[in-house]
Amino acid sequence: MKKKVKIYACYLLSLFFVACSSNSIEKSMGKREAVLEEPTSEQLLKAQENTVQQEKASIESFIARCGWKMVETPSGLFYDIYYKTKGVKVESGNAVQLKYTLALLNGVEIANSDMKGLKTIIIGKTVVESGLLEALLKMRKGEKAHVVIPSHLGFGFSGDGDRIPAQATLIYDLTVEQVLIPPSS
């Protein structure tokens, strides 16, 4: 359901950008009212690609300023496991306890585990940002990572309605404190 909402929001925002950029006033006919042209699928796709590319450029610039050596996944997630262990690997169904700091790309800190306590996520059951889930599935107990989540893998075009604005890139500093494996049935 959340994915459908993101796709619909993306479509509406792209529609808005395309509509605002087109020359919709028919000056040659002397009409005073604006005529909105319905964008084509190609125009919507191009607007969405431009938005993603602009965000990616901002992310890459941020990573370069920080001096991080990050891996980019096919989905667009950037991560660096800067402290590795041979601990238990995070897998679907595990309960994972995280120590974390969450900030925006501009450096504004949104939340951290010192203020809110450890975050517990049941992989595959707890609703979290898809980028966070993707990053956790690459980690092991005791590992620490920097994770940069582009907006399409975070809270998308809507934000969270509270502290995370629309189209926000999220920066996590994560430590997997505990990986609890459920008993087999």
Side-chain angles (χ1 to χ4, degrees), residues 11-161:
Y11 172 77
L12 289 177
L13 190 61
S14 298
L15 179 67
F16 174 75
F17 284 126
V18 171
C20 290
S21 66
S22 66
N23 186 5
S24 60
I25 301 177
E26 297 180 22
K27 293 180 181 178
S28 63
M29 299 181 83
K31 292 185 179 183
R32 292 185 180 182
E33 60 190 63
V35 177
L36 293 178
E37 297 173 11
E38 189 166 324
T40 64
S41 297
E42 185 177 302
Q43 288 171 321
L44 291 173
L45 185 57
K46 185 153 180 73
Q48 184 177 9
E49 288 172 0
N50 287 340
T51 301
V52 169
Q53 289 304 316
Q54 288 172 355
E55 183 177 18
K56 184 176 179 179
S58 295
I59 290 169
E60 289 172 341
S61 175
F62 172 83
I63 291 168
R65 284 192 312 272
C66 292
W68 293 344
K69 305 290 185 219
M70 301 193 98
V71 175
E72 181 182 7
T73 69
S75 69
L77 175 77
F78 289 85
Y79 73 98
D80 173 33
I81 302 172
Y82 62 88
Y83 182 81
K84 296 188 181 220
T85 71
K86 295 186 188 250
V88 176
K89 183 163 179 23
V90 175
E91 295 179 0
S92 185
N94 294 154
V96 179
Q97 287 186 324
L98 301 173
K99 184 175 180 182
Y100 69 98
T101 301
L102 171 61
L104 299 176
L105 198 59
N106 63 8
V108 173
E109 189 173 300
I110 299 298
N112 66 56
S113 53
D114 291 336
M115 294 179 344
K116 297 189 172 206
L118 295 179
K119 185 177 213 163
T120 301
I121 296 170
I122 300 174
I123 304 297
K125 298 201 187 266
T126 306
V127 177
V128 295
E129 307 90 73
S130 61
L132 178 58
L133 181 61
E134 182 180 350
L136 289 173
L137 288 169
K138 298 183 178 306
M139 297 181 72
R140 296 176 174 275
K141 179 181 176 183
E143 290 188 330
K144 298 179 181 192
H146 296 297
V147 179
V148 180
I149 302 175
S151 61
H152 70 277
L153 298 175
F155 289 90
F157 284 106
S158 61
D160 73 345

